[in-house]
């Protein structure tokens, strides 16, 4: 929980510093652990850190996993309060949990992130291809963005584009890099 709180705090500090330096705003995704998500004061913590650094909530995306959403009533309340703050909510590693698809229509979710295990086997397994197509279609029909995780090869990217998934993350685009390099590569253009 402490590490998760620290990460959210650091992201908001960077957002503030970049704004003060005149850099264009970007949305940053922050992974939220199930324990962190289920804390009674989680939404209050998010609200306070946004206020402390004067961050526009639309520049923060909170990534939760399917395992965080087991208790329907509790999850719905937390997500509604987060959406009222104005942050984006995404479901990370989608397709690997044990949740029912019914939460997709019930919860205020903005983004579905297709787990990299499906992407890795795109051209090796017809079942994976069918699952990916179904996730993309379902998400789009429910008004959600779709991001493919773990994109490493151009043939994976082409497959995803062919089925209207136009957002991806993975080594094909960049390896994880320190924040200083991000500033150097993306903001100092």
């Amino acid at each position: 929980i402490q590490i998760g709180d620290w990460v959210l705090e650091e992201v908001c500090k960077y957002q503030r510093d970049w704004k003060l330096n005149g850099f264009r705003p970007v949305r940053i995704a922050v992974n939220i652990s199930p324990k962190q998500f289920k804390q009674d004061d989680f939404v209050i913590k998010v609200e306070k850190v946004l206020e402390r650094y004067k961050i526009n909530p639309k520049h923060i995306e909170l990534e939760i996993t399917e395992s965080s959403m087991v208790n329907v009533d509790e999850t719905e309340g937390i997500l509604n309060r987060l959406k009222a703050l104005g942050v984006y909510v995404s479901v990370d590693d989608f397709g690997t949990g044990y949740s029912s698809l019914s939460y997709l229509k019930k919860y205020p979710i903005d983004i579905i992130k297709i787990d990299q295990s499906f992407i890795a086997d795109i051209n090796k397994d017809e079942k994976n291809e069918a699952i990916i197509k179904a996730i993309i279609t379902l998400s789009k029909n429910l008004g959600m963005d779709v991001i493919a995780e773990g994109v490493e090869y151009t043939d994976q990217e082409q497959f995803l584009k062919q089925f209207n998934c136009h957002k991806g993350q993975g080594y094909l685009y960049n390896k994880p890099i320190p924040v200083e390099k991000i500033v150097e590569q993306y903001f100092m253009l």
Side-chain angles (χ1 to χ4, degrees):
I1 292 172
Q2 291 174 330
I3 291 171
D5 291 346
W6 176 82
V7 169
L8 182 60
E9 184 97 16
E10 287 296 297
V11 164
C12 288
K13 280 182 192 176
Y14 285 122
Q15 288 282 27
R16 179 203 57 201
D17 293 348
W18 293 343
K19 182 180 178 182
L20 292 173
N21 283 309
F23 300 153
R24 65 180 170 81
V26 295
R27 185 171 67 224
I28 299 177
V30 180
N31 287 73
I32 304 298
S33 75
K35 283 184 180 180
Q36 187 181 9
F37 181 75
K38 292 175 185 168
Q39 281 187 289
D40 290 338
D41 63 345
F42 175 65
V43 177
I44 293 166
K45 283 183 178 182
V46 172
E47 183 175 24
K48 285 183 178 179
V49 76
L50 291 172
E51 288 174 0
R52 183 168 36 258
Y53 295 102
K54 296 178 178 28
I55 302 303
N56 185 331
K58 72 178 185 180
H59 295 134
I60 298 294
E61 174 186 325
L62 301 177
E63 289 187 6
I64 59 174
T65 59
E66 291 178 66
S67 61
S68 298
M69 299 186 284
V70 175
N71 182 324
V72 175
D73 294 330
E74 178 185 55
T75 299
E76 186 175 17
I78 295 169
L79 291 177
N80 284 329
R81 290 171 46 217
L82 289 171
K83 291 305 298 168
L85 290 178
V87 298
Y88 280 81
V89 175
S90 63
V91 178
D92 196 21
D93 303 329
F94 184 79
T96 59
Y98 301 101
S99 299
S100 165
L101 288 176
S102 66
Y103 73 76
L104 289 180
K105 72 175 186 171
K106 186 174 183 78
Y107 297 152
I109 297 168
D110 301 296
I111 303 161
I112 295 294
K113 294 190 170 188
I114 303 172
D115 186 69
Q116 63 186 350
S117 63
F118 295 109
I119 306 305
D121 292 335
I122 275 180
N123 296 318
K124 300 174 191 161
D125 185 344
E126 289 179 14
K127 289 181 180 179
N128 264 359
E129 290 182 11
I131 290 169
I132 292 167
K133 290 178 202 176
I135 292 171
I136 293 168
T137 301
L138 179 64
S139 300
K140 296 275 184 184
N141 288 340
L142 292 172
M144 299 173 193
D145 276 345
V146 184
I147 298 174
E149 297 181 307
V151 180
E152 295 185 13
Y153 305 104
T154 54
D155 60 329
Q156 294 169 332
E157 180 185 58
Q158 292 307 316
F159 175 90
L160 292 162
K161 283 181 178 178
Q162 179 183 355
F163 293 98
N164 293 317
C165 180
H166 298 285
K167 294 180 181 178
Q169 62 187 56
Y171 284 0
L172 178 64
Y173 309 110
N174 213 337
K175 290 184 170 46
I177 57 177
V179 72
E180 296 79 22
K181 288 276 188 199
I182 293 171
V183 170
E184 189 179 294
Q185 289 181 10
Y186 297 102
F187 292 120
M188 304 304 258
L189 298 175

